[in-house]
Amino acid sequence: MPKVTVDGVEIEVAPGSTVLQACEQAGKEIPRFCYHDRLSIAGNCRMCLVEVSPGPPKPQASCALPVAEGQQIKTDSPMVKKARRGVMEMLLINHPLDCPICDQGGECDLQDQALFYGFDRSRFQENKRAVKDKDFGPLIKTQMTRCIHCTRCVRFATEVAGVEELGAIGRGENMEITTTIGQMVTSELSGNIIDLCPVGALTSKPFAFTARPWELRKTESVDVLDAVGSNIRIDARGSEVMRVLPRLNEAVNEEWLSDKSRFACDGLKRQRLDRPYVRENGRLREADWDEAFAAIAAKLKTMPATSVAAIAGDLADCESMLALKDLMAAVGSPNIDCRQDGAKLDAGARASYLFNATIAGIDDADALLIIGSNPRTEAAVLNARIRRRWLKGKFSVGAIGENVDLTYRAKHLGAGPRTLSDVLEGRDDFARVLEAAERPMIIIGSGAVARDDGAAVLATARAVAEKYGVVKDGWNGFCLLQRAASRVGGLDLGLVPGQGGRDVARILAGAASGEIGLVWLLGADEIDMNRLGSAFVVYQGHHGDAGAHRADVVLPGAAYTEKSGTYVNTEGRVQRANAAHFPLGEAKEDWAILRAMSGVIGKPLAYDNLAQLRARMAQANPVFGRVDAITPATWGPFGAAGAMSDAPFANLVANFYMTDPISRASVTMARCTELLGPNKGATGTHG
């Protein structure tokens, strides 16, 4: 390892490191605008200048200079100070003096670095240039006169998002960052360029002029609008969530966040349920908690336990799902299911429903077969990691399902299960790719196992994994990509039918035939409400979505930003979300509602607070005792061999921007749907 000296201190650095990285390793802060750890090196802002010897007697850009044995690096010499002041003075020649009205104020790299590294006056008398603002779409507000041409946004769009829609035109002082002519930025990850922009050129359009950073209460939490479990920071003022930002977690989302998770937060204040309702004479009317509980208790007394059923929705936290399971057990009903989409997954075989390789494990794979999934719309942040692995080379991708642009080159093998059988039997050329790979990976979409033949598809995918070494000592590349934040947690807790119980399909069939008399929906809005027939429906949730419209009793619950809850992401990582503010109106935390209901029917649950409930969770499954950790699943048989339909695998995410009650209530997501279109991922393959 080369040894260099930074400000008189000798250190060892990894081969291939840059001088900037060596300085940071030595504890020296180097200012920068264009350099970013996750982007290619541009070297065009020149703010990171240092003095290096041996070398030319002038400041050098540390971000683009590789380390060499024996280098003497000075980060605070008179030459460096003068050079940085000159660079800052040049950057401010055309920068407008509009900090008081700039949304970047308080979070602006240019402000901070002008204070610490800048000059106290300007020598330029010329007029500042003005640049026409560009239309980046409904999410990103532009003020291009502020742009300092760091090109972070261009490099992110090209390298990480895989959507080459940003670039530069002109040269010198006429250079401008712009979009493809007549186009908006359409990437599912476009909001990340707001975080990357070191000045106020790109800011959040929905957040514009609403709050200053120092006014907001910041809460660390977890995103639940997909199953990735991205770590987020919720910024709230009073009882309103003002914005959601990504939080660094190298193992999950790194520092990126999908646009839906970032911008759908305005849906948290619209169409909310903030008080109980009871249906009377065909119409829902306001009621108090006692009246709502009494109506449910009276109905329960009139029917046998086998005619009671419960379905948990996609956004439910693990605490509420366990409380629902315990309540159904107290009533005596075996009819409970968390697989709202009807997925043929076995709660007893954990390896069958996990992303076993882990999200970070994508970096280690050398071949990938995607079955019935579009990661670009189902898990945009995870898809960016697949693209990064593809960019490194020696990584072949094959896809069975709809032919869509995944932002990386993927060979379209076929549309349905017949192609999967061809791979298993070795009739498809991609079988040789899997066979030759040292660490092959299979990603199977949750939609592929939610079909009538889902169990057979799952069994065939398992057979492919076992035949081609996808699962072996030290490596499990069999990955089921979930779409719902609650799915893995629900299966870990055993929210599946008990002995003689009904799954979702049979619950709906029973409700339609009259065999099921009461259905408890815990935030379940994605089922066909028309199939509930004349059943008495209790809806417990936070938005007036499909379930609330059908309900006979509505119990207002708390959204994910309003409660402390546990969620398990698609790779089986147990994570905790924290409350950013109190629930709205008379709404309560969901587990507390179920605990109170159990007392009304005279069968109180065995916990009275969150700590006791979480202890019960750890007792039900030890994985809940290991927060923010991966518990590997034991490989074993799952699925059911049988005939598979010739019907092609379908993309179940019809609209990336609206997949749940929160995003469907969002005005911002409605605007995105209107302007950018619901179908993300154009037909074709990436070149």
Coordinates of all heavy atoms in Angstrom, one line a residue, residues 226-296:
D226 N -42.8 0.5 -0.7 CA -42.4 -0.7 -1.4 C -41.7 -1.6 -0.4 O -41.7 -1.3 0.8 CB -41.5 -0.4 -2.6 CG -40.2 0.3 -2.3 OD1 -39.7 0.1 -1.1 OD2 -39.7 1.1 -3.1
A227 N -41.2 -2.7 -0.8 CA -40.7 -3.7 0.1 C -39.2 -3.6 0.3 O -38.6 -4.5 1.0 CB -41.0 -5.1 -0.4
V228 N -38.5 -2.6 -0.3 CA -37.1 -2.4 -0.1 C -36.7 -2.1 1.3 O -35.7 -2.5 1.8 CB -36.5 -1.4 -1.1 CG1 -35.0 -1.1 -0.9 CG2 -36.8 -1.9 -2.5
G229 N -37.6 -1.3 2.0 CA -37.3 -0.9 3.3 C -36.3 0.2 3.4 O -35.4 0.3 4.3
S230 N -36.3 1.2 2.4 CA -35.4 2.3 2.4 C -35.4 3.1 3.7 O -36.5 3.3 4.2 CB -35.7 3.2 1.2 OG -35.6 2.5 0.0
N231 N -34.2 3.4 4.1 CA -34.1 4.2 5.3 C -34.4 5.7 5.0 O -33.8 6.2 4.0 CB -32.7 4.0 6.0 CG -32.6 2.7 6.7 OD1 -31.9 2.6 7.7 ND2 -33.2 1.7 6.2
I232 N -35.2 6.3 5.8 CA -35.6 7.7 5.4 C -35.6 8.6 6.6 O -35.5 8.1 7.8 CB -37.1 7.7 4.9 CG1 -38.1 7.1 5.9 CG2 -37.2 7.0 3.5 CD1 -39.5 7.3 5.5
R233 N -35.6 9.9 6.4 CA -35.8 10.9 7.4 C -37.1 11.7 7.1 O -37.2 12.2 6.0 CB -34.6 11.9 7.5 CG -34.6 12.7 8.7 CD -33.5 13.8 8.6 NE -33.9 14.9 7.8 CZ -33.1 15.9 7.3 NH1 -31.8 15.8 7.5 NH2 -33.6 16.9 6.7
I234 N -38.0 11.7 8.1 CA -39.2 12.4 8.0 C -39.1 13.8 8.6 O -38.8 13.9 9.8 CB -40.4 11.6 8.6 CG1 -40.5 10.2 8.0 CG2 -41.7 12.3 8.5 CD1 -41.4 9.3 8.8
D235 N -39.3 14.8 7.8 CA -39.3 16.2 8.3 C -40.7 16.7 8.5 O -41.5 16.8 7.5 CB -38.5 17.1 7.3 CG -37.0 16.8 7.4 OD1 -36.6 16.0 8.1 OD2 -36.3 17.5 6.6
A236 N -41.1 16.9 9.7 CA -42.5 17.3 10.0 C -42.6 18.7 10.7 O -41.6 19.1 11.4 CB -43.2 16.3 10.8
R237 N -43.7 19.4 10.5 CA -43.9 20.6 11.2 C -45.3 20.5 11.8 O -46.3 20.3 11.1 CB -43.9 21.8 10.3 CG -44.0 23.1 11.0 CD -43.8 24.3 10.1 NE -44.7 24.3 9.0 CZ -44.5 25.1 7.9 NH1 -43.5 25.9 7.8 NH2 -45.4 25.0 6.9
G238 N -45.4 20.4 13.2 CA -46.7 20.1 13.8 C -47.2 18.7 13.5 O -46.4 17.8 13.6
S239 N -48.4 18.6 12.9 CA -48.9 17.3 12.6 C -48.9 17.1 11.1 O -49.6 16.2 10.6 CB -50.4 17.2 13.1 OG -51.2 18.2 12.4
E240 N -48.0 17.8 10.4 CA -47.9 17.7 8.9 C -46.5 17.2 8.5 O -45.5 17.9 8.9 CB -48.3 19.0 8.2 CG -48.3 18.9 6.7 CD -48.7 20.2 6.1 OE1 -49.0 21.2 6.8 OE2 -48.7 20.3 4.8
V241 N -46.5 16.2 7.7 CA -45.2 15.8 7.1 C -44.9 16.7 5.9 O -45.7 16.7 5.0 CB -45.2 14.3 6.7 CG1 -44.0 13.9 5.9 CG2 -45.4 13.4 7.9
M242 N -43.8 17.4 6.0 CA -43.5 18.4 5.0 C -42.6 17.7 3.8 O -42.8 18.1 2.7 CB -42.7 19.5 5.6 CG -43.4 20.3 6.7 SD -45.0 20.9 6.2 CE -44.5 22.2 5.0
R243 N -41.8 16.8 4.2 CA -41.0 16.2 3.2 C -40.4 14.9 3.7 O -40.3 14.7 5.0 CB -39.8 17.1 2.7 CG -38.8 17.5 3.7 CD -37.7 18.3 3.1 NE -36.7 18.7 4.1 CZ -35.6 19.4 3.9 NH1 -35.4 19.9 2.7 NH2 -34.8 19.7 4.9
V244 N -39.9 14.0 2.8 CA -39.3 12.8 3.2 C -38.0 12.7 2.4 O -37.9 12.9 1.2 CB -40.1 11.5 2.8 CG1 -39.4 10.3 3.0 CG2 -41.4 11.5 3.7
L245 N -36.9 12.4 3.1 CA -35.5 12.4 2.5 C -34.9 11.1 2.8 O -35.2 10.4 3.8 CB -34.6 13.5 3.1 CG -35.1 15.0 2.9 CD1 -34.2 15.9 3.6 CD2 -35.2 15.3 1.4
P246 N -34.0 10.6 1.9 CA -33.3 9.4 2.2 C -32.3 9.5 3.3 O -31.7 10.5 3.6 CB -32.6 9.1 0.8 CG -32.4 10.4 0.2 CD -33.5 11.2 0.7
R247 N -32.0 8.4 4.0 CA -31.1 8.3 5.0 C -30.1 7.2 4.7 O -30.4 6.1 4.1 CB -31.8 7.9 6.3 CG -30.9 7.9 7.6 CD -31.8 8.0 8.8 NE -32.9 7.1 8.9 CZ -32.8 5.9 9.4 NH1 -31.7 5.5 10.0 NH2 -33.8 5.0 9.4
L248 N -28.8 7.4 4.9 CA -27.7 6.5 4.5 C -27.8 5.1 5.1 O -27.9 5.0 6.4 CB -26.4 7.1 4.8 CG -25.1 6.3 4.4 CD1 -25.1 6.2 2.9 CD2 -23.9 6.9 4.9
N249 N -27.9 4.1 4.3 CA -27.8 2.7 4.8 C -27.2 1.9 3.6 O -27.9 1.6 2.6 CB -29.2 2.1 5.2 CG -29.0 0.8 5.8 OD1 -28.2 0.0 5.5 ND2 -29.8 0.5 6.9
E250 N -25.9 1.6 3.7 CA -25.2 1.0 2.6 C -25.8 -0.3 2.3 O -25.7 -0.8 1.1 CB -23.7 0.8 3.0 CG -23.0 2.1 3.2 CD -22.7 2.9 1.9 OE1 -23.0 2.3 0.9 OE2 -22.1 4.0 2.0
A251 N -26.4 -1.0 3.2 CA -26.8 -2.4 3.0 C -28.2 -2.4 2.3 O -28.6 -3.5 1.7 CB -26.9 -3.2 4.3
V252 N -28.9 -1.3 2.3 CA -30.3 -1.3 1.8 C -30.4 -0.4 0.6 O -30.5 -0.8 -0.5 CB -31.3 -1.0 2.9 CG1 -32.7 -1.0 2.4 CG2 -31.2 -1.9 4.1
N253 N -30.5 0.9 0.9 CA -30.8 1.9 -0.2 C -29.6 2.8 -0.4 O -29.7 3.8 -1.2 CB -32.0 2.7 0.2 CG -31.9 3.5 1.5 OD1 -31.6 2.9 2.5 ND2 -32.0 4.8 1.4
E254 N -28.5 2.6 0.2 CA -27.3 3.5 0.1 C -27.8 4.9 0.5 O -28.1 5.1 1.6 CB -26.7 3.4 -1.3 CG -26.2 2.0 -1.6 CD -25.6 1.9 -3.0 OE1 -26.4 2.0 -4.0 OE2 -24.4 1.7 -3.1
E255 N -27.8 5.8 -0.4 CA -28.4 7.1 -0.1 C -29.4 7.6 -1.1 O -29.7 8.8 -1.2 CB -27.3 8.2 0.0 CG -26.4 8.4 -1.3 CD -25.3 9.3 -1.1 OE1 -24.2 8.8 -0.6 OE2 -25.4 10.5 -1.3
W256 N -30.0 6.6 -1.8 CA -31.0 6.9 -2.8 C -32.4 6.7 -2.3 O -32.6 5.9 -1.3 CB -30.8 6.1 -4.1 CG -29.4 6.1 -4.6 CD1 -28.7 5.0 -4.9 CD2 -28.5 7.2 -4.8 NE1 -27.4 5.4 -5.4 CE2 -27.3 6.7 -5.3 CE3 -28.7 8.6 -4.7 CZ2 -26.2 7.5 -5.7 CZ3 -27.6 9.4 -5.0 CH2 -26.4 8.9 -5.5
L257 N -33.4 7.2 -2.9 CA -34.8 7.0 -2.6 C -35.7 7.2 -3.9 O -35.4 8.0 -4.7 CB -35.3 8.0 -1.5 CG -36.6 7.8 -0.9 CD1 -36.6 6.5 -0.1 CD2 -37.0 9.0 0.1
S258 N -36.7 6.3 -4.0 CA -37.5 6.4 -5.2 C -38.4 7.6 -5.1 O -38.7 8.1 -4.0 CB -38.4 5.1 -5.3 OG -39.5 5.1 -4.4
D259 N -38.9 8.1 -6.3 CA -39.7 9.3 -6.3 C -41.0 9.1 -5.6 O -41.5 10.0 -4.9 CB -40.0 9.7 -7.7 CG -38.8 10.3 -8.4 OD1 -37.8 10.5 -7.7 OD2 -38.8 10.4 -9.7
K260 N -41.6 7.9 -5.6 CA -42.9 7.7 -4.9 C -42.7 7.8 -3.4 O -43.5 8.5 -2.7 CB -43.4 6.3 -5.3 CG -44.7 6.0 -4.6 CD -45.3 4.7 -5.1 CE -44.4 3.5 -5.1 NZ -44.9 2.3 -5.6
S261 N -41.6 7.2 -2.9 CA -41.4 7.2 -1.5 C -41.1 8.7 -1.0 O -41.4 9.0 0.1 CB -40.2 6.3 -1.1 OG -40.5 5.0 -1.5
R262 N -40.4 9.4 -1.9 CA -40.0 10.8 -1.5 C -41.2 11.8 -1.6 O -41.3 12.6 -0.7 CB -38.9 11.2 -2.4 CG -38.3 12.6 -2.1 CD -37.4 13.0 -3.2 NE -36.2 12.2 -3.3 CZ -35.0 12.5 -2.7 NH1 -34.9 13.6 -2.0 NH2 -34.0 11.7 -2.9
F263 N -42.0 11.7 -2.6 CA -42.9 12.8 -2.9 C -44.4 12.5 -2.6 O -45.2 13.4 -2.7 CB -42.8 13.2 -4.4 CG -41.5 13.8 -4.8 CD1 -40.6 13.1 -5.6 CD2 -41.2 15.1 -4.4 CE1 -39.4 13.7 -5.9 CE2 -40.0 15.7 -4.7 CZ -39.1 15.0 -5.5
A264 N -44.7 11.2 -2.3 CA -46.1 10.9 -2.0 C -46.5 11.3 -0.6 O -47.7 11.1 -0.2 CB -46.3 9.4 -2.2
C265 N -45.7 12.0 0.1 CA -46.0 12.3 1.5 C -47.2 13.3 1.6 O -47.8 13.4 2.7 CB -44.8 12.9 2.3 SG -44.0 14.3 1.5
D266 N -47.5 14.1 0.6 CA -48.6 14.9 0.6 C -49.9 14.1 0.7 O -51.0 14.7 1.1 CB -48.7 15.9 -0.5 CG -48.8 15.2 -1.9 OD1 -48.3 14.1 -2.1 OD2 -49.5 15.8 -2.7
G267 N -49.9 12.9 0.3 CA -51.1 12.0 0.5 C -51.4 11.7 1.9 O -52.5 11.2 2.2
L268 N -50.4 11.9 2.8 CA -50.7 11.6 4.2 C -51.7 12.6 4.9 O -52.2 12.3 6.0 CB -49.4 11.7 5.0 CG -48.4 10.6 4.7 CD1 -47.0 10.9 5.2 CD2 -48.9 9.3 5.3
K269 N -52.0 13.7 4.2 CA -52.9 14.7 4.8 C -54.2 14.8 4.1 O -55.1 15.6 4.4 CB -52.2 16.1 4.9 CG -51.8 16.7 3.6 CD -51.1 18.0 3.8 CE -50.7 18.6 2.5 NZ -49.9 19.8 2.6
R270 N -54.4 13.9 3.1 CA -55.6 14.0 2.3 C -56.4 12.7 2.4 O -55.8 11.6 2.5 CB -55.3 14.3 0.8 CG -54.7 15.7 0.6 CD -54.4 15.9 -0.9 NE -54.0 17.3 -1.1 CZ -52.8 17.8 -0.9 NH1 -51.8 17.0 -0.6 NH2 -52.6 19.1 -1.1
Q271 N -57.7 12.8 2.3 CA -58.6 11.6 2.4 C -58.3 10.8 3.6 O -58.4 9.5 3.6 CB -58.5 10.8 1.1 CG -58.8 11.5 -0.1 CD -58.7 10.6 -1.4 OE1 -58.7 9.4 -1.3 NE2 -58.7 11.3 -2.5
R272 N -58.0 11.4 4.8 CA -57.7 10.7 6.0 C -58.9 10.3 6.8 O -59.9 11.0 6.8 CB -56.7 11.5 6.8 CG -55.3 11.7 6.3 CD -54.6 10.4 6.2 NE -54.6 9.6 7.4 CZ -53.6 9.8 8.3 NH1 -52.6 10.6 8.1 NH2 -53.6 9.1 9.4
L273 N -58.8 9.2 7.5 CA -59.8 8.8 8.4 C -59.3 9.2 9.8 O -58.3 8.8 10.3 CB -59.9 7.2 8.4 CG -60.3 6.6 7.0 CD1 -60.3 5.1 7.1 CD2 -61.7 7.1 6.6
D274 N -60.1 10.1 10.4 CA -59.7 10.6 11.7 C -60.7 10.4 12.8 O -60.6 11.0 13.9 CB -59.3 12.1 11.6 CG -60.5 13.0 11.1 OD1 -61.6 12.4 10.8 OD2 -60.4 14.2 11.1
R275 N -61.7 9.6 12.5 CA -62.7 9.3 13.5 C -63.5 8.0 13.1 O -63.5 7.7 11.9 CB -63.7 10.5 13.7 CG -64.6 10.7 12.5 CD -65.2 12.1 12.6 NE -64.2 13.1 12.4 CZ -64.4 14.4 12.5 NH1 -65.6 14.9 12.8 NH2 -63.5 15.3 12.3
P276 N -64.1 7.3 14.1 CA -64.8 6.1 13.7 C -66.1 6.4 12.9 O -66.7 7.5 13.1 CB -65.1 5.5 15.0 CG -64.2 6.1 16.0 CD -64.0 7.5 15.5
Y277 N -66.5 5.5 12.1 CA -67.8 5.6 11.4 C -68.5 4.3 11.5 O -67.9 3.2 11.5 CB -67.5 5.9 9.9 CG -67.0 7.3 9.6 CD1 -65.6 7.6 9.7 CD2 -67.8 8.3 9.3 CE1 -65.1 8.8 9.4 CE2 -67.4 9.6 9.0 CZ -66.0 9.8 9.1 OH -65.5 11.1 8.8
V278 N -69.9 4.4 11.5 CA -70.7 3.2 11.5 C -71.8 3.4 10.4 O -72.3 4.5 10.2 CB -71.4 3.1 12.9 CG1 -72.5 1.9 12.8 CG2 -70.4 2.8 14.0
R279 N -72.0 2.4 9.6 CA -73.0 2.4 8.5 C -74.4 2.3 9.1 O -74.7 1.3 9.8 CB -72.7 1.4 7.5 CG -73.5 1.6 6.2 CD -73.1 0.6 5.1 NE -71.7 0.8 4.7 CZ -71.4 1.7 3.7 NH1 -72.3 2.5 3.2 NH2 -70.1 1.9 3.4
E280 N -75.2 3.2 8.7 CA -76.6 3.2 9.2 C -77.5 3.6 8.0 O -77.3 4.7 7.4 CB -76.8 4.2 10.3 CG -78.1 4.1 11.0 CD -78.2 5.1 12.2 OE1 -78.5 6.2 12.1 OE2 -77.9 4.6 13.3
N281 N -78.5 2.8 7.7 CA -79.4 3.0 6.5 C -78.6 3.3 5.2 O -78.9 4.2 4.4 CB -80.3 4.3 6.8 CG -81.2 4.0 8.0 OD1 -81.7 2.9 8.3 ND2 -81.4 5.1 8.8
G282 N -77.5 2.5 5.1 CA -76.8 2.5 3.9 C -75.7 3.6 3.8 O -75.0 3.7 2.8
R283 N -75.6 4.4 4.8 CA -74.7 5.5 4.8 C -73.8 5.5 6.0 O -74.2 5.1 7.1 CB -75.4 6.9 4.7 CG -76.2 7.1 3.4 CD -76.9 8.4 3.5 NE -76.0 9.5 3.5 CZ -75.5 10.1 2.4 NH1 -75.8 9.6 1.2 NH2 -74.6 11.1 2.4
L284 N -72.5 5.9 5.8 CA -71.6 5.9 7.0 C -71.8 7.3 7.7 O -71.9 8.3 7.1 CB -70.1 5.9 6.5 CG -69.7 4.5 6.0 CD1 -68.3 4.7 5.4 CD2 -69.6 3.5 7.1
R285 N -72.0 7.1 9.0 CA -72.1 8.3 9.9 C -71.0 8.3 11.0 O -70.5 7.3 11.3 CB -73.5 8.4 10.5 CG -73.8 7.3 11.5 CD -75.0 7.5 12.3 NE -75.3 6.4 13.2 CZ -74.8 6.2 14.3 NH1 -73.8 7.0 14.8 NH2 -75.1 5.2 15.1
E286 N -70.7 9.5 11.5 CA -69.7 9.6 12.5 C -70.2 8.9 13.8 O -71.4 8.9 14.1 CB -69.3 11.0 12.8 CG -68.7 11.7 11.6 CD -68.3 13.2 12.0 OE1 -68.4 13.5 13.2 OE2 -68.0 14.0 11.0
A287 N -69.3 8.3 14.5 CA -69.6 7.6 15.7 C -68.4 7.8 16.7 O -67.3 8.3 16.3 CB -69.9 6.1 15.5
D288 N -68.6 7.3 17.9 CA -67.5 7.3 18.9 C -66.9 5.9 18.9 O -67.5 5.0 18.4 CB -67.8 7.9 20.2 CG -69.0 7.1 20.9 OD1 -69.2 5.9 20.6 OD2 -69.8 7.7 21.6
W289 N -65.8 5.8 19.6 CA -65.1 4.5 19.7 C -66.0 3.4 20.4 O -66.1 2.3 19.9 CB -63.8 4.6 20.5 CG -62.7 5.1 19.6 CD1 -62.2 6.4 19.6 CD2 -62.0 4.5 18.6 NE1 -61.2 6.6 18.7 CE2 -61.0 5.4 18.1 CE3 -62.0 3.2 18.1 CZ2 -60.1 5.0 17.1 CZ3 -61.1 2.8 17.1 CH2 -60.2 3.7 16.6
D290 N -66.7 3.8 21.4 CA -67.6 2.8 22.1 C -68.7 2.3 21.2 O -69.0 1.1 21.2 CB -68.2 3.4 23.4 CG -67.1 3.7 24.4 OD1 -66.0 3.1 24.4 OD2 -67.4 4.6 25.3
E291 N -69.3 3.2 20.4 CA -70.3 2.7 19.6 C -69.8 1.8 18.4 O -70.5 0.8 18.1 CB -71.0 4.0 19.0 CG -72.2 3.7 18.1 CD -72.9 4.9 17.6 OE1 -72.4 6.0 17.8 OE2 -74.0 4.7 16.9
A292 N -68.6 2.2 17.9 CA -68.1 1.3 16.8 C -67.7 0.0 17.4 O -68.0 -1.1 16.7 CB -66.8 2.0 16.3
F293 N -67.1 -0.1 18.5 CA -66.7 -1.4 19.1 C -68.0 -2.2 19.4 O -68.0 -3.4 19.2 CB -65.9 -1.2 20.4 CG -64.5 -0.8 20.1 CD1 -63.7 -0.1 21.0 CD2 -63.8 -1.2 19.0 CE1 -62.4 0.2 20.8 CE2 -62.5 -0.9 18.7 CZ -61.8 -0.2 19.6
A294 N -69.0 -1.5 19.9 CA -70.2 -2.2 20.3 C -70.9 -2.8 19.1 O -71.5 -4.0 19.1 CB -71.2 -1.3 21.0
A295 N -70.9 -2.1 17.9 CA -71.5 -2.6 16.7 C -70.7 -3.9 16.2 O -71.4 -4.9 15.8 CB -71.4 -1.6 15.6
I296 N -69.4 -3.9 16.4 CA -68.6 -5.1 16.0 C -68.9 -6.2 16.9 O -69.1 -7.4 16.5 CB -67.1 -4.8 15.9 CG1 -66.9 -3.6 14.9 CG2 -66.3 -6.0 15.6 CD1 -65.4 -3.1 15.0

